[in-house]
Amino acid sequence: MLLLLSTSDTDLMSARTADGPVAWRYANPSRLHLDDLPGLLDGTDLVVVRLLGGQRAWPEGIDALLAGPRPVVVLTGEQAPDAELMGLSTVTAGIAAQAHAYLAHGGPHNLVELAGFLSDTVLLTGLGFEPPE
């Protein structure tokens, strides 16, 4: 299971309807108390964080995620990639950039393919994936 923490309600709606081999758990970090984060993380293998407003939008949450054992992909909620946010990720810049492309294209189909991409490239599952559409 993957966790998507996004300040974009469109991302969250897409994750809710994405029906693929890897399930998404999702929440809006601007509406999330840090005390609830451990419960959301329970049973997840990887976290994607997408923030409007940069790191200052959720600094304590990012710090808590980066201190944990799971791979974390940190991205901007804007259409153009943000190298500073991607640099916070625990995955390579190439993986973060490709993850951003899936989310920038949007929609449930791209969330399914993003899950496959991250599962294969980070978690090494061999599920397969298509490029963003």
Side-chain angles (χ1 to χ4, degrees), residues 56-70:
R56 69 181 180 273
W58 199 48
E60 298 88 4
I62 291 174
D63 289 346
L65 292 170
L66 295 175
R70 291 164 192 79

Side-chain angles (χ1 to χ4, degrees), residues 28 47 55 90 105 108 116:
N28 187 326
V47 181
Q55 183 179 4
T90 63
H105 281 83

Side-chain angles (χ1 to χ4, degrees), residues 14-86:
S14 292
R16 183 175 60 210
T17 58
D19 186 24
V22 179
W24 285 100
R25 185 176 291 162
Y26 50 88
N28 187 326
S30 65
R31 299 181 194 123
L32 179 66
H33 293 110
L34 279 182
D35 293 342
D36 297 330
L37 191 56
L40 280 173
L41 290 168
D42 188 39
T44 63
D45 300 306
L46 182 143
V47 181
V48 177
V49 182
R50 190 166 190 225
L51 300 171
L52 291 167
Q55 183 179 4
R56 69 181 180 273
W58 199 48
E60 298 88 4
I62 291 174
D63 289 346
L65 292 170
L66 295 175
R70 291 164 192 79
V72 179
V73 182
V74 184
L75 306 168
T76 181
E78 304 295 334
Q79 286 295 320
D82 180 323
E84 183 179 335
L85 275 178
M86 281 194 283

